[in-house]
Amino acid sequence: MRFPKPETDLKNFRLRKIKEPQYRHLWWLLFWPAYLARYFLIETCNPAQSYHVMHCVLDDKIPFCEFFLIFYVCWYVFIVGMHLYCLLYDVDTFRRYSKFLCVSMTMSTAIFLLYPSCQDLRPDQFPRDNFLSRVMGFLYTVDTPTNVFPSEHVIGAIAALAAAAHTERLRKPGRLTILTALTVLICASTLFLKQHSALDVLGALPICIISYLLCYEKRGYHEHLSCRYRHWLHNSKTGYSQ
């Protein structure tokens, strides 16, 4: 895929220019330090005895499989890659993608505070001893099994897919099919690595739907109404009716 000419010229960017129209969208990048900082706040706000354990029958039927760590890690590449691509080549989608993340993560944060959650699905002993299982063991030590409902791993993957579907060069059938398959595998990886309950995955879906309608469909709906109004106005002036 040949990349087009960037919409954002970062070579000439200076911090003092951030208020200029061509760089104003970079303010959305402040989302990331705020996103990371709130984890410390949430952990301190919720006492351990207040957590609700997330579990369902489906969780017991899904085996642990460390090979899904490959797709779990792809989440970071997908999220950052879409951010960089949209920042450079599709500023409108960059704004919508950033807004999607802000809206969805704000909703998930509110749920974490109002309904603290945790899970106890992690295996006491890995079924296989290999490099991936050892990495998972390390990940378990640094990533607490708390504030899991809804799954922000799922939210982030769907947000990146929605951005790709809104980008002209990425929404072509072949590319979008590959990215959709990657999104499904990323979501499945949270279950096979015992990082989330199936309830956490399902809980992320309504948040993604609401965020999508607010960040993408709203403008399209208004444009559709505007187009219909102009069509009606033209017909009324010309006396044409169907």
Side-chain angles (χ1 to χ4, degrees):
M1 181 178 66
R2 296 182 62 183
F3 291 99
K5 181 180 179 181
E7 291 185 24
T8 305
D9 183 11
L10 294 180
K11 293 181 180 179
N12 297 322
F13 172 71
R14 301 294 182 273
L15 192 58
R16 65 177 181 274
K17 295 183 178 182
I18 198 168
K19 292 184 179 180
E20 297 180 5
Q22 66 268 34
Y23 297 119
R24 200 172 295 164
H25 60 283
L26 295 178
W27 283 108
W28 283 105
L29 293 175
L30 291 176
F31 160 80
W32 289 107
Y35 169 74
L36 296 173
R38 81 198 169 114
Y39 270 114
F40 300 99
L41 297 176
I42 294 173
E43 291 291 335
T44 56
C45 288
N46 293 331
Q49 63 271 20
S50 67
Y51 287 112
H52 300 81
V53 178
M54 307 306 298
H55 183 269
C56 68
V57 176
L58 182 59
D59 298 329
D60 299 327
K61 299 183 180 299
I62 300 175
F64 174 86
C65 182
E66 69 274 14
F67 297 104
F68 273 88
L69 177 63
I70 297 171
F71 301 110
Y72 190 84
V73 173
C74 282
W75 183 85
Y76 301 95
V77 180
F78 194 18
I79 290 287
V80 175
M82 279 305 305
H83 239 73
L84 291 175
Y85 180 86
C86 294
L87 187 151
L88 292 173
Y89 302 108
D90 194 331
V91 172
D92 176 61
T93 301
F94 175 80
R95 293 193 183 97
R96 292 170 183 267
Y97 179 31
S98 299
K99 184 179 178 182
F100 188 114
L101 290 173
C102 287
V103 171
S104 59
M105 298 305 180
T106 298
M107 286 192 286
S108 64
T109 301
I111 294 174
F112 292 158
L113 294 174
L114 297 174
Y115 188 81
S117 56
C118 67
Q119 55 95 348
D120 57 0
L121 302 171
R122 296 177 175 180
D124 296 328
Q125 186 174 359
F126 294 122
R128 292 164 293 276
D129 182 20
N130 52 42
F131 173 75
L132 293 178
S133 62
R134 293 170 189 170
V135 174
M136 278 309 304
F138 172 75
L139 183 61
Y140 283 172
T141 62
V142 298
D143 184 18
T144 62
T146 56
N147 300 311
V148 293
F149 178 86
S151 169
E152 291 190 336
H153 220 75
V154 172
I155 292 174
I158 294 178
L161 179 63
H166 192 264
T167 303
E168 183 177 358
R169 296 178 64 86
L170 296 180
R171 65 170 173 240
K172 296 181 179 180
R175 295 168 185 170
L176 195 58
T177 299
I178 293 173
L179 293 177
T180 300
L182 176 62
T183 301
V184 172
L185 289 170
I186 289 174
C187 295
S189 72
T190 66
L191 302 176
F192 283 93
L193 295 178
K194 301 302 177 180
Q195 284 288 77
H196 283 283
S197 164
L199 296 175
D200 306 332
V201 175
L202 293 176
L205 299 182
I207 290 179
C208 291
I209 293 172
I210 293 171
S211 301
Y212 181 82
L213 292 175
L214 289 175
C215 303
Y216 290 95
E217 286 297 309
K218 188 175 181 180
R219 179 180 173 186
Y221 179 67
H222 286 168
E223 289 178 347
H224 174 68
L225 290 182
S226 176
C227 182
R228 288 180 61 88
Y229 172 73
R230 290 195 300 269
H231 180 68
W232 171 83
L233 186 62
H234 173 75
N235 290 343
S236 64
K237 287 182 178 179
T238 59
Y240 173 80
S241 62
Q242 291 181 327

